[in-house]
Amino acid sequence: NAISFISEQTSADLAQEQSSLVQQLTMEAELHHALINHDFFLEYQPLYDFSRGGQKMIAIEALIRWRRKNGDLVPPDVFIPIAEQSRLIVQIGRWVLGQACRDLAKLQQAGWGDLQMHINMAAPEFINAKLPTELLGLMEAYNLSPKFLCLEMTEGMVMKQPDKLIPVMSSLRQLGFKISLDDFGMGHSSLSRLKKLPISYLKIDRSFIYGLPQDKGDKAIVRTILDLGRHMNVSVIAEGVENDAQFAFLRQFGCSLIQGFVLSRPKSLAELMAMSLDRRYQSKVVLG
Ligand code: C2E
Ligand code: MG
Ligand code: MG
Ligand code: MG
């Protein structure tokens, strides 16, 4: 009957809830070990600028990976949300920052003098009052200038706690760091708030790039974001560009900062170091 059906449903839900809680706690413990055992590593995806005729790799974005002891590779979309539910994200983020700055210093010393590093950050990392001091400490330790470091925050995270995050963004901007609004278009910005954000870049979410150049909705959204960037005087980056047709559409509508598999997959530091400086100015895409 109806009542026993309902109570069965509830106990099934409860069991499910408990098992996902157990899974979460298990993964938290594993992440903690991964930090201690150095099981994380970074890959770097190039970002290219097409605004000066040719093509120049102006930045790389650090992307964290977790290699389990059994060899399995866990993608960040799986473990970052779990780390965000505990304080672990702050420790993981600190490791990412240190590693990425160290690697950027190596690349700059190897001749990539003006290369920027983009780093994805989670909200709890910004709600740490010591963040500016920690970042300045890294700049000093690795002899880097803040203008080469760009912190990526998702639009969704900024709009969820604007009152807490915007003041931190402003003080970091004042210190010379750059800020990029990642996954833009997914986070329900109010336009009046967007206008006041202290950001250097808007990064169009890759879900809108996917349907280019056929999907009418994606086309309209991408063109609108490009216009918005021009009016706000903020550079727009397209991420997740996978093929020549998407690339051609973006170039046609004036997008000059492009990242995606069509240009380069994420690379290891060793691969970047092995890349000659000449190759920084060209890649497999032939400009029409
Ligand atoms: P994101 O910052 O938006 O990064 C872009 C994601 O798209 C990366 O996935 C990248 O490998 C992937 N990608 C790049 N080009 C293409 C393309 O052409 N096609 C497709 N299909 N995908 C492309 P990844 O490395 O799995 O990272 C996923 C997300 O995890 C990132 O999204 C970011 O939000 C988060 N994340 C990564 N590293 C960190 C980190 O160090 N700290 C924090 N807090 N989050 C991180
Ligand atoms: Mg990003
Ligand atoms: Mg993104
Ligand atoms: Mg993303």
Side-chain angles (χ1 to χ4, degrees):
N1 62 27
I3 290 177
S4 73
F5 174 73
I6 288 170
S7 68
E8 259 168 47
Q9 276 290 86
T10 326
S11 67
D13 286 353
L14 201 68
Q16 168 120 52
E17 230 165 71
Q18 278 173 347
S19 86
S20 74
L21 186 66
V22 169
Q23 272 172 15
Q24 187 190 320
L25 291 175
T26 309
M27 194 178 269
E28 265 181 47
E30 288 174 327
L31 286 170
H32 198 88
H33 275 107
L35 255 179
I36 296 167
N37 298 332
H38 310 288
D39 293 339
F40 294 117
F41 64 98
L42 295 179
E43 286 190 324
Y44 298 106
Q45 188 179 28
L47 164 63
Y48 288 91
D49 182 358
F50 291 85
S51 66
R52 285 153 225 254
Q55 147 174 0
K56 182 181 178 188
M57 182 172 130
I58 59 158
I60 50 180
E61 176 178 6
L63 296 163
I64 192 171
R65 274 92 184 80
W66 174 20
R67 170 90 62 198
R68 284 178 182 274
K69 282 281 171 278
N70 66 9
D72 288 356
L73 201 60
V74 189
D77 284 333
V78 171
F79 68 85
I80 291 289
I82 302 220
E84 279 182 22
Q85 285 165 15
S86 68
R87 293 296 295 166
L88 268 177
I89 190 65
V90 177
Q91 284 170 267
I92 294 176
R94 207 171 267 141
W95 177 82
V96 171
L97 279 167
Q99 188 76 15
C101 287
R102 202 191 67 175
D103 289 351
L104 180 62
K106 283 189 189 158
L107 286 162
Q108 288 195 347
Q109 277 154 25
W112 310 68
D114 56 0
L115 192 68
Q116 290 177 31
M117 176 68 79
H118 289 226
I119 300 183
N120 294 288
M121 306 261 293
E125 296 182 73
F126 281 89
I127 301 170
N128 159 19
K130 286 188 240 127
L131 180 67
T133 319
E134 290 178 8
L135 287 173
L136 289 176
L138 283 172
M139 297 299 98
E140 201 175 304
Y142 294 112
N143 198 18
L144 293 166
S145 158
K147 70 179 177 198
F148 297 120
L149 202 66
C150 178
L151 309 174
E152 296 199 0
M153 315 170 71
T154 66
E155 181 197 20
M157 109 189 198
V158 176
M159 292 305 151
K160 209 165 153 194
Q161 318 186 67
D163 302 336
K164 279 197 177 147
L165 295 178
I166 296 172
V168 188
M169 294 163 78
S170 302
S171 53
L172 291 172
R173 269 311 288 281
Q174 257 152 30
L175 293 173
F177 297 100
K178 294 190 164 73
I179 293 182
S180 170
L181 205 57
D182 204 353
D183 299 352
F184 186 74
M186 298 301 279
H188 317 288
S189 284
S190 78
L191 291 176
S192 56
R193 188 157 263 152
L194 190 62
K195 191 177 72 180
K196 295 189 199 127
L197 286 186
I199 52 174
S200 323
Y201 301 103
L202 279 182
K203 211 180 219 193
I204 309 176
D205 190 74
R206 71 182 150 92
S207 62
F208 302 115
I209 306 299
Y210 190 76
L212 300 180
Q214 287 87 18
D215 187 276
K216 285 207 172 76
D218 286 348
K219 274 163 69 171
I221 290 168
V222 167
R223 290 185 61 181
T224 304
I225 297 175
L226 290 169
D227 283 340
L228 191 67
R230 274 188 282 272
H231 293 305
M232 285 176 35
N233 220 357
V234 170
S235 307
V236 177
I237 302 170
E239 72 172 353
V241 183
E242 291 184 345
N243 60 52
D244 292 348
Q246 294 166 342
F247 177 83
F249 179 92
L250 289 160
R251 293 296 299 123
Q252 183 187 346
F253 290 99
C255 181
S256 50
L257 297 174
I258 299 184
Q259 203 178 15
F261 294 168
V262 73
L263 297 168
S264 173
R265 296 208 165 233
K267 292 178 187 297
S268 67
L269 174 70
E271 283 174 287
L272 288 173
M273 291 290 273
M275 227 166 113
S276 77
L277 276 175
D278 306 341
R279 276 199 47 209
R280 186 177 169 194
Y281 293 93
Q282 54 170 65
S283 89
K284 57 175 177 268
V285 169
V286 180
L287 298 176

